Each structure stands twice: as C-alpha cells, then as structure tokens.
Amino acid sequence: MKRLFLLLALVLAMPTMAQVSVTDLKVNHLSAPEGLTDRTPSFSWILKGDTRGLMQSAYEVAVYKGGKCVWSSGKVKSENSLTVPYEGPELQSGTRYGWKVRVWDNKGKVSKWASSSWLTGLFSLEDWHAKWIEPKLQDDRSPIMRKEFSVNKSIASAVLHVTAHGLYEASINGKKVGDAHLTPGWTAYNKRLQYQTYDVTAMLAKGANAFGLELGYGWYHSRMCFRDRADRYMYNIHQVGAIAQIDITYTDGTKESITTDRSWKASTGEILHSTIYDGETIDARKAQQGWNCVGFDDSAWEQVAEASYSLGELTASESEPVVTRERVKPVKYFITPAGEKVLDFGQNLVGREVVKVNGKEGQEIVISHAEVLDEKGNFYTTNLRTAKAQTRYTCREGEQTFSTKFSWYGFRYLKVEGIEGDLNLDDFVAEVIFSDYPETGHFESSNSLVNHLQSNIKWGMRGNFVDVPTDCNQRDERMGWTGDAHVFFRTATFMGDVQNFFIKWLKDLALDQWPGGEITDLVPCIPGWMGAGRTGWADAGVTIPWQHYMAYGDKRVLENQYESMKRWIDFMFRNTQDFLWSSGWHYGDWLAYQAENDFGGRSAVTYRPLIQQCFMVHSAEQFIEAAKVLGKTRVAERYAATVEKCKKAFCEAYLTPRGHLVSSTQTAYVLALEFDMVPDEVRPTIAARLAENVREYGHLTTGFLGTPYLCHALSNNGYTELAYRILLHEGYPGWLYSVKMGGTTIWELWDSMKPDRTIPDTGMNSFNHYSKGAVGDWLYREAVGLKETSAGYKTFMVRPNPGGGFKYMGADKVTPYGRAAAKWYDEPGKFTLEVEVPANTTAEIYVPSPSVDAVTVDGVAVTSVADVKVVGKDGPYTKYVVGSGKYKFVANR
Ligand code: RAM
C-alpha cells in the first residue's frame, strides 16, 4: 500500500519535476518571421522550469529545409539563449526553414526539442522578376489593380513579396493577404523602401486565381509636416505604384513567378481621396464589387504603365507590422450644447472607427474626430490645426459597414453628421491600431491616480508607436521627432518588446544623418526639413542604441549603429571651443514650466549651452560604453579623455564656487547629477540645491529634457520623499494634474487644459504625446526597483524605494529571459517583497531592513534558505543573491 502511495505521489509530481523546457522561440527577435534577409539570423528562446536556480548549461540548435537538416550547432556548452547565430550554408531566397532547439540545465538534464520556422525574403536583386507598375492617374482616387492567372499543378509553396510607393493592400481571390495595415510602413523613402513577404500557399486555388492590389497615398504621397504644404508628393520621387510577385514552387520541383507587369489592369474604386492628415473620402456607390475575384469583367479597365526604377531601394521589412490590436466600444452618446451628435469612447486612442448603417443611396455621412470637448462640452478640433481628420462616406442602398483603409486618427470623440435620429452605440466600434510589438510590462500600486497615470503612459505609447515613434497622432504633424523617442525610450523598453521597432527606425536615423554627423530632428526626415544636430533630439542616435542593448542584450544594434553614434559625438566634439559646446540653435528644455505672469521670475528657463554640454557628455559616455562592448578599447580611452576635459570645462563655465549652477533650475541640477557632470564632493550641494528648488516651487518645473531624470536625481541622492511629492502633486504642473482633469493619455503641455477646462490655443497642443510619460521609467526601475545590472537582464536587481504613502507597488516585465517581477507591501512593522526571477538569470535582492536576522523567506529565516545567498548589509538594505524562482521576503521592523 505504502509503495503504491509512493508511486502515485511520484506520478503526480512528474509534471513539476518535468524538466526544463524551451519556449518563445524567435529568429531575430521575431516569432516565426516571414521575409528575413539576414544571412546570419540569430536564434533566441526562453527556458522554463520549476526548480529554483535553473540555468542553461548547454544548447543545441538545428536548422532544416524541406525536412533535411542543413545545419546543426551540435551541443554547445553555453548559457547563451539570446543571440545564437546561424552558421550554416548560405540561405536561399523565399524559403521556409524549420529550426529546433534543446537545452541542458545546470543539473545536466536535457529538455525536449522545441521547434519553429522562418521564411526568407529575397536575398538578391536578381530574385526580383516583377516590374514596378503605375496606374495612369487622373485624380486623387485610390487605384485598384488586378490580374488573373491559373495554376495547373499542385503547389508546394507560394510566397508573395510586395511593396508600393504609397500604401498597399494585397488580395488573392478576394481575400486580404495578411492582417497588417499601412504597409509597407514608413522609412527614409528617398533611401530605402521596405517590402513584405507573405506565405500565401493556402490562398491559391487550383485553376483560375485573381491577384489584386489596392493603393493608398500614405506617408509617401500625403502632405506631411505642419507647414501647410500643398504638395501631395511629399517625397516627390515616384508616382503611386506597386511591385509584387508570387513565387510558386510546384510539388514536381518546377517554379513560376506571377509578377506585376504591363499585363495588369487598373481602375479606381470607392476611395476617392485618402491622406494622413485629412482622412478618407469613400463613395460606396463607386465600389466595384468582386474586382479582386476570379471572373470579374475588367474589359473597361486601363492597362498599367511599367516603370523601370532601380530595385536597389528595396529592403525586407524587419519590424512588426501595424495591426488592429484592440476594439473599443463607445461608452456614451450625447448631443452637445452646440447640437452636435457625439460618441464618447472613454479612451483617447489611435485607430479608426467601424460603422454599421442602414443607408439610403447617396446619403452622406461625415465623421469628425476629436480628443477632447471644450469647456462648454462642445466638440473641439482646434488642436488638430489644418488636419481635417474626417471620414466622409457616401452610402449605397441598404445595410452596410464602413471604415477607412489608408487613413487613421487620434480620437476619443466622434462627431457624426448625416445619420438621422439618435445614434445606436452598437453600430460603432473603434479599432485601435499600433505596431504589433509584444506588450511586456505592467505596473500597479495602491494609488489609483498613479495607476491611471500608468494607463495613460500605456495608451500614449500605443497611440504613437504606429510603425515609427511619433510625437502625436492626431494633428497635422504625426512625425518621428527624435527628441520624443529619446526621452521616452527607456520607459518604452519596459512596457514593450520594441527591439525590432527601433532597429528599423535607427537604420533610417543613420541614413538620414547629415554628412557632418548631425542627426535630424525627424526620422524619417521630411524632405526639405532643415533641422538637425539639436541637443537632446540628435542624442537619440546614441542613447537609444545604448539603452536598447542594455534592455535587450543584443549587441548587434551597437554594431549597426556604431558609425552613426560616433559621427554624432565627433560632430559635437569638433564644434567645442576649449571643450565647451555652445554653438547652434537648440530646442532646449522644451515646454518647461512657464508661469502665467512671470513678475516673480518663476519660469524655469535653463541656459541652453549648459544643457548642450550635459547631453554631449552623457552621449559620449554611452558611446564609450558601447565602444567597450564592441572591443574598441583604444577608441573608448581616447573619448574618455575628452569627456573628462568637457566635464572640467562644464564646472569652470557653469558651476559657481558655492555650488550653484548658472541656471538655478531643476533641469540644470538634475542633468548635472544624473550625467555625472560635477566632482563627487560637490554632488551633495547640487542635490541639496535641487531639493531646495523643488520645495520652494512645491512642484516640478522641468520640460522635455529634465523630466525623464527628475525623480531619479532626487531618489538617487537621498530625496526619495521629494520624488514622491513631485509624482503625487495633483495640481499644475505635474503628472497627476492631467489625470485629475480626466486625461486618458499623456498630454503635450503640462496644462494642455486649464483647470476651468478651457483649452489654450497655443498652436501646438496635443492630448496624446508620450514624452512626459518618461516618468514610467522611474516608477518601474526605481520606485518598484526592478532594474537590469547587465545587458538584457541576464543579471538584475530588485531594490525598492518605498515611500509616498504607497501601501504596495509592483511591476513585472517579460525580459529576454522570461518574466521578472517585483512587488512590495509597506505595512506598519512589516515590509514584504515578492520577487520572481526567470531561469538563466540571477538577481540581487535588496530588502529594507536593519539586519538579516529580521528577514524571512517564504516564512523561514533567510539565513537558513539554501537558495538564497546572504550578502549582508548595504546602506538601509540587506542584500541577497538568488537564482530563478519565486521568493517572498519579509522584513519585520
Ligand atoms: C513639437 C512637438 C514635438 C517636439 C517638437 C520640438 O512639434 O512638441 O514633440 O519634439 O515640437
């Protein structure tokens, strides 16, 4: 009986004892990507298992083509699970490769194989057999183009490669290919254009097939940039057009390509006009039903023209596409005092509405978009500036559903004209679109206002990560401002796996960089935009690659960006005089606190050359770290010597003997502290000046450049309570002001809306601008205290900074090694810290407690837990080192 019991216990325990397993297989950080043209792609995976202290000791990777192994790494003794390069024979175009991996843990146990695949793009220009085709356009209508072809043998695989000058939607036999929007995405179009690759094997039929392409104007052909430019051909290079080919491999081994060429026919459909700022005009009566299906009569259609553009601009896309990620229902319908019919979605979002209507032939419906209502409760669009942001739809007879295809909007409210009677909430839904990066981070606390702030940060990120990082996504701007991306990037890396999103963008940044090394204000840069080399904006080109490496642990981003980083540092160094950089025009601490009347001299203006010097040093120091990682020690030493001289020059120029900075602003003190500009012995004085300033104002005064570092500078220098005071300030200026005012995203101005709900018409006022959401980084990495100590969170720490009256606070993040989490509870007499450490990593845990004797783990004295290494006292903390697993530390106080 006893033996039976034992056996049963053993069987029940099996799943948990079950070994280490491997999940989340990725190639170049993407799950089963289609269209990679990296000849040495890199493999990564995540280890899972229940045992504490689980590490990988070895791995084996094998790559297959058509069931045959083309490369095996053999068993490699290594902890590397992030960046294992393919080292097999040359990869072939348009081919699906399978791959599998197994790992050995630190006890020698081996996992089962886990497998995945990827599909290659076109490695060489000769692989392109298609021709660029262009419809002959008379007006603004969106062209539709089609071709039928027949398939007579059985298909082994069919792969579509496609792109457009403008935007495209491809379809086969009446069905849209893939679920992406706004393809081919936005790049520095005058230098490179992405194409996408899709596995369309399952979409083709034996016999006749129809291949359709619908084109929109998109970034390529819309007016872009807030100067009211009429020229539609923004990039002014080519007409709207497309190039596409379906490469078919038959089961008998023969191949055929169905390509765009002169044999295609073109017409126009229901989209009469579609641009980024102004929206879409659709006439359902003009729709040509079944145009992309077999058997459609296209005899009245025109033949397309062929264009012989160089194919050199084509590049495989490597980031996640923009897709519909959420659907939001309206929460309220009401009529404004001005008599407008308005729907409220309860959330400021970026996307488009889908509308169901029982229409009369010729009935015109106009839908306008707004982020806010004015102080009287009326629909407010002044802040959209010249952007019309309207869907104009003309109905056919009967039930119909419509939405835009090539335009999208930033809105919380819709104004609906042209529908009689009351609106029915069920007839409307908003599709939220943004890039398909995995959302990896969460934060929660005992303070509901701060939780709301976190939600606003998340929605601000969603709304502005639409293929490129934009400043805003509603007015006539929506551009890739480098400064905004720079200051928000660290927060973004916690919230999402935005590796590929930024790998793509950084390539454009380097391509748009000026010959002298200046990085442009906008990436992709708008043709004719002359701004470049501005401090805090151009630094995106150094800070983002460096922080990218620290967040995700793949040094290829540093290899790719190294020259670009160096050129920007060289530009600044070259322009110094006696090691001080003060030339050029700069945005400075953009949108810092301004007092309404400044008789008291309270506006926070920071001397711009002082800011320049700080960012120059900070960028140079990150560049030096990058050079070290890449083994360029001589370069690192040389630049370090210059940096020291720049710091000395900073102190001589801007620091008074009694520890004032020439600009006595929060931003000046914050940058001096966080960028390590002053000697150690001066730090306490500078920190005290900062604290004094914060107390005197009772709130923050920082703009774009000081804000991301403000709370860090306080909590890193012994003023954690002041950091919380600033965070929790509910009036203007502060993060919770907009929360209290009902904001559901981050605002561009600290007072985008006044307390009486009037909206200042400053000519620049967005309600969805993520930059000030940069405080998220402080919440996750300092307040909760979950912070990497080496690249990619291979090692990290949990060092909480409790305070501010919070009863609990927690954050979790899927790191490249798996989920890491920390949550603290601050109760009278007791501090609890729950942590989760993923396999193949180790963490340093800091518990606020006077001695290790007061600390338990999972209910037993910490000193008696074998899995926890006690390091000892460290300031107000006691410190421990742990391997993977879940732990609950309790400090009795
Ligand atoms: C405005 C926006 C943007 C900022 C630039 C300098 O257009 O506020 O976010 O980066 O100015």
Side-chain angles (χ1 to χ4, degrees):
M1 185 67 184
K2 208 167 159 193
R3 277 182 48 197
L4 199 73
F5 214 71
L6 256 173
L7 205 70
L8 196 72
L10 215 69
V11 171
L12 284 176
M14 251 161 65
T16 44
M17 282 173 52
Q19 329 264 333
V20 48
S21 62
V22 190
T23 64
D24 295 79
L25 274 63
K26 293 193 175 167
V27 186
N28 281 9
H29 321 301
L30 297 165
S31 316
E34 297 190 335
L36 276 197
T37 49
D38 188 345
R39 291 179 190 278
T40 50
S42 133
F43 304 108
S44 62
W45 56 85
I46 285 177
L47 248 66
K48 289 228 167 98
D50 294 328
T51 37
R52 277 188 174 174
L54 180 67
M55 297 291 284
Q56 175 183 300
S57 63
Y59 67 80
E60 183 175 358
V61 171
V63 173
Y64 288 78
K65 189 184 139 199
K68 264 216 224 113
C69 181
V70 292
W71 175 68
S72 163
S73 67
K75 182 175 176 181
V76 180
K77 275 196 184 159
S78 165
E79 285 183 12
N80 185 6
S81 57
L82 274 200
T83 53
V84 172
Y86 171 74
E87 285 168 345
E90 200 172 324
L91 298 167
Q92 282 160 19
S93 290
T95 305
R96 183 167 294 282
Y97 289 88
W99 72 284
K100 59 181 191 172
V101 55
R102 59 176 175 168
V103 303
W104 284 261
D105 70 10
N106 42 341
K107 303 251 164 60
K109 275 192 264 162
V110 64
S111 73
K112 288 198 180 126
W113 288 100
S115 58
S116 185
S117 70
W118 83 100
L119 177 63
T120 56
L122 298 177
F123 286 107
S124 114
L125 295 185
E126 279 86 72
D127 295 330
W128 279 101
H129 310 300
K131 295 273 184 318
W132 274 101
I133 54 169
E134 291 175 346
K136 292 161 198 150
L137 287 178
Q138 311 296 331
D139 53 31
D140 281 355
R141 282 181 287 168
S142 277
I144 47 181
M145 306 192 288
R146 73 185 303 277
K147 180 184 170 80
E148 288 193 23
F149 61 96
S150 66
V151 169
N152 302 318
K153 295 191 270 184
S154 102
I155 296 175
S157 76
V159 178
L160 164 66
H161 309 280
V162 53
T163 189
H165 291 140
L167 301 175
Y168 74 83
E169 211 177 270
S171 52
I172 294 177
N173 297 327
K175 276 214 192 82
K176 176 174 165 165
V177 177
D179 58 357
H181 306 304
L182 311 180
T183 46
W186 192 8
T187 47
Y189 286 141
N190 34 10
K191 297 175 184 110
R192 66 182 196 130
L193 174 68
Q194 297 183 129
Y195 68 90
Q196 282 76 37
T197 296
Y198 306 89
D199 188 335
V200 294
T201 316
M203 298 184 82
L204 296 188
K206 198 94 184 260
N209 286 272
F211 185 3
L213 287 167
E214 180 164 11
L215 303 183
Y217 286 87
W219 298 281
Y220 203 103
H221 289 282
S222 295
R223 76 180 161 101
M224 290 295 297
C225 209
F226 42 75
R227 280 175 273 159
D228 186 16
R229 294 178 60 159
D231 42 347
R232 194 184 61 198
Y233 296 92
M234 196 63 239
Y235 281 86
N236 210 21
I237 320 170
H238 308 307
Q239 257 243 55
V240 60
I243 182 168
Q245 73 188 38
I246 304 175
D247 289 334
I248 306 177
T249 307
Y250 295 106
T251 45
D252 65 4
T254 55
K255 291 175 189 282
E256 188 183 2
S257 286
I258 311 300
T259 60
T260 45
D261 57 23
R262 198 170 284 134
S263 68
W264 281 60
K265 295 268 205 84
S267 181
T268 50
E270 57 182 342
I271 301 178
L272 306 188
H273 184 91
S274 172
T275 61
I276 295 192
Y277 295 159
D278 294 330
E280 207 154 290
T281 305
I282 307 156
D283 187 340
R285 297 168 304 177
K286 302 257 160 62
Q288 303 204 37
Q289 297 301 338
W291 70 271
N292 49 6
C293 299
V294 171
F296 177 83
D297 176 11
D298 62 13
S299 53
W301 287 30
E302 266 192 74
Q303 201 184 334
V304 299
E306 252 177 39
S308 53
Y309 303 131
S310 142
L311 299 179
E313 62 172 357
L314 298 182
T315 182
S317 70
E318 56 191 332
S319 60
E320 296 87 350
V322 175
V323 295
T324 300
R325 302 207 44 179
E326 201 164 312
R327 288 183 171 76
V328 178
K329 307 263 309 158
V331 291
K332 201 170 134 197
Y333 161 66
F334 58 96
I335 297 186
T336 66
E340 303 143 320
K341 292 182 183 174
V342 171
L343 290 166
D344 177 5
F345 285 80
Q347 173 64 53
N348 194 17
L349 54 86
V350 171
R352 57 200 190 168
E353 70 283 359
V354 181
V355 182
K356 211 164 75 193
V357 63
N358 192 355
K360 291 258 156 304
E361 159 121 30
Q363 179 185 343
E364 267 191 82
I365 299 171
V366 180
I367 299 186
S368 309
H369 301 77
E371 296 184 287
V372 282
L373 302 176
D374 70 10
E375 73 279 14
K376 298 195 183 97
N378 291 323
F379 199 72
Y380 183 86
T381 54
T382 311
N383 69 323
L384 306 186
R385 299 193 302 218
T386 68
K388 292 196 189 84
Q390 278 180 335
T391 306
R392 307 181 76 90
Y393 182 78
T394 307
C395 300
R396 56 172 191 273
E397 189 68 27
E399 285 264 351
Q400 53 212 291
T401 300
F402 66 91
S403 176
T404 59
K405 200 168 265 176
F406 300 117
S407 300
W408 71 102
Y409 312 96
F411 64 101
R412 171 175 166 169
Y413 301 96
L414 294 182
K415 179 172 87 181
V416 181
E417 293 167 284
I419 296 183
E420 269 178 29
D422 281 342
L423 303 178
N424 181 355
L425 294 188
D426 290 337
D427 292 340
F428 295 82
V429 68
E431 289 190 345
V432 179
I433 65 163
F434 56 105
S435 287
D436 202 16
Y437 60 82
E439 291 193 315
T440 53
H442 302 99
F443 168 89
E444 57 156 345
S445 74
S446 56
N447 184 313
S448 60
L449 292 177
V450 174
N451 294 346
H452 198 138
L453 169 66
Q454 166 63 13
S455 167
N456 294 1
I457 293 172
K458 180 176 79 185
W459 279 96
M461 176 166 168
R462 291 173 163 188
N464 286 294
F465 277 55
V466 180
D467 203 56
V468 299
T470 50
D471 61 327
C472 61
N473 237 321
Q474 76 294 85
R475 68 183 180 212
D476 55 355
E477 193 154 346
R478 305 174 172 215
M479 298 186 303
W481 283 98
T482 45
D484 305 50
H486 172 203
V487 300
F488 187 70
F489 181 70
R490 208 58 186 85
T491 301
T493 60
F494 195 92
M495 295 294 294
D497 178 352
V498 290
Q499 293 192 71
N500 288 56
F501 183 88
F502 277 98
I503 286 172
K504 162 188 174 264
W505 187 75
L506 286 169
K507 284 188 183 166
D508 291 310
L509 177 143
L511 284 170
D512 276 334
Q513 194 166 1
W514 288 6
E518 300 96 316
I519 289 166
T520 48
D521 301 352
L522 311 171
V523 173
C525 196
I526 303 288
W529 179 268
M530 290 311 289
R534 327 280 205 205
T535 199
W537 271 249
D539 297 288
V542 175
T543 299
I544 293 184
W546 174 248
Q547 291 180 344
H548 190 290
Y549 169 66
M550 287 309 288
Y552 301 119
D554 187 347
K555 69 177 179 194
R556 284 182 308 175
V557 70
L558 299 179
E559 285 161 3
N560 290 344
Q561 299 304 126
Y562 179 79
E563 277 310 315
S564 158
M565 295 165 87
K566 184 165 179 298
R567 285 173 58 214
W568 169 235
I569 306 296
D570 288 345
F571 171 85
M572 290 187 284
F573 281 179
R574 215 171 44 239
N575 281 282
T576 53
Q577 262 192 350
D578 299 329
F579 298 98
L580 275 183
W581 180 38
S582 57
S583 55
W585 185 87
H586 300 272
Y587 295 104
D589 192 21
W590 188 244
L591 305 181
Y593 172 68
Q594 281 180 317
E596 278 221 332
N597 83 47
D598 203 13
F599 301 140
R602 295 182 67 75
S603 293
V605 182
T606 308
Y607 184 51
R608 292 184 182 193
L610 181 154
I611 299 178
Q612 282 173 256
Q613 191 75 0
C614 291
F615 276 92
M616 173 176 70
V617 162
H618 184 52
S619 284
E621 292 203 312
Q622 292 175 102
F623 169 69
I624 290 163
E625 290 308 310
K628 285 189 204 156
V629 170
L630 298 178
K632 299 177 192 291
T633 27
R634 293 260 282 285
V635 175
E637 279 162 20
R638 200 150 42 85
Y639 282 73
T642 308
V643 161
E644 280 320 304
K645 291 179 184 145
C646 293
K647 287 188 180 178
K648 197 159 164 267
F650 174 86
C651 293
E652 283 164 9
Y654 304 127
L655 177 67
T656 72
R658 295 205 179 175
H660 285 279
L661 288 173
V662 293
S663 295
S664 193
T665 59
Q666 291 174 16
T667 291
Y669 293 121
V670 162
L671 297 181
L673 287 167
E674 282 300 293
F675 296 173
D676 197 22
M677 300 298 291
V678 295
D680 283 351
E681 60 276 16
V682 187
R683 284 184 72 88
T685 316
I686 296 287
R689 301 256 180 259
L690 170 63
E692 195 179 291
N693 183 306
V694 168
R695 284 196 196 101
E696 203 185 296
Y697 277 93
H699 57 68
L700 57 77
T701 65
T702 50
F704 264 49
L705 299 185
T707 300
Y709 308 102
L710 174 60
C711 290
H712 291 265
L714 288 166
S715 64
N716 286 339
N717 291 284
Y719 296 98
T720 301
E721 271 312 323
L722 271 186
Y724 276 113
R725 196 166 135 195
I726 280 195
L727 172 75
L728 298 175
H729 181 66
E730 293 180 12
Y732 160 77
W735 293 281
L736 297 190
Y737 171 67
S738 57
V739 170
K740 290 284 275 190
M741 292 296 290
T744 57
T745 32
I746 301 289
W747 296 351
E748 179 173 22
L749 311 178
W750 289 119
D751 58 349
S752 283
M753 183 181 276
K754 299 285 184 191
D756 62 3
R757 306 201 79 76
T758 52
I759 300 165
D761 180 11
T762 52
M764 201 185 71
N765 191 2
S766 133
F767 289 86
N768 195 353
H769 228 77
Y770 58 56
S771 50
K772 291 189 164 110
V775 68
D777 179 48
W778 184 78
L779 291 173
Y780 324 136
R781 291 201 305 154
E782 298 297 334
V784 174
L786 187 62
K787 184 169 166 180
E788 80 288 351
T789 50
S790 63
Y793 291 76
K794 179 78 175 118
T795 60
F796 63 98
M797 61 161 81
V798 177
R799 187 162 61 184
N801 270 302
F806 282 82
K807 291 198 178 68
Y808 67 86
M809 193 184 272
D812 60 86
K813 172 183 167 57
V814 182
T815 73
Y817 295 93
R819 185 175 188 269
K823 187 168 184 184
W824 54 256
Y825 301 81
D826 196 359
E827 293 160 283
K830 189 169 142 193
F831 186 87
T832 307
L833 179 60
E834 295 168 355
V835 298
E836 182 177 340
V837 179
N840 215 13
T841 69
T842 51
E844 296 169 354
I845 312 295
Y846 292 77
V847 180
S849 76
S851 86
V852 296
D853 297 333
V855 178
T856 61
V857 173
D858 304 326
V860 294
V862 67
T863 43
S864 65
V865 182
D867 302 320
V868 178
K869 189 174 149 230
V870 179
V871 179
K873 253 199 86 61
D874 192 316
Y877 299 93
T878 52
K879 180 177 168 185
Y880 313 90
V881 175
V882 297
S884 73
K886 290 183 182 171
Y887 306 84
K888 182 174 176 177
F889 290 85
V890 177
N892 295 301
R893 299 185 291 197

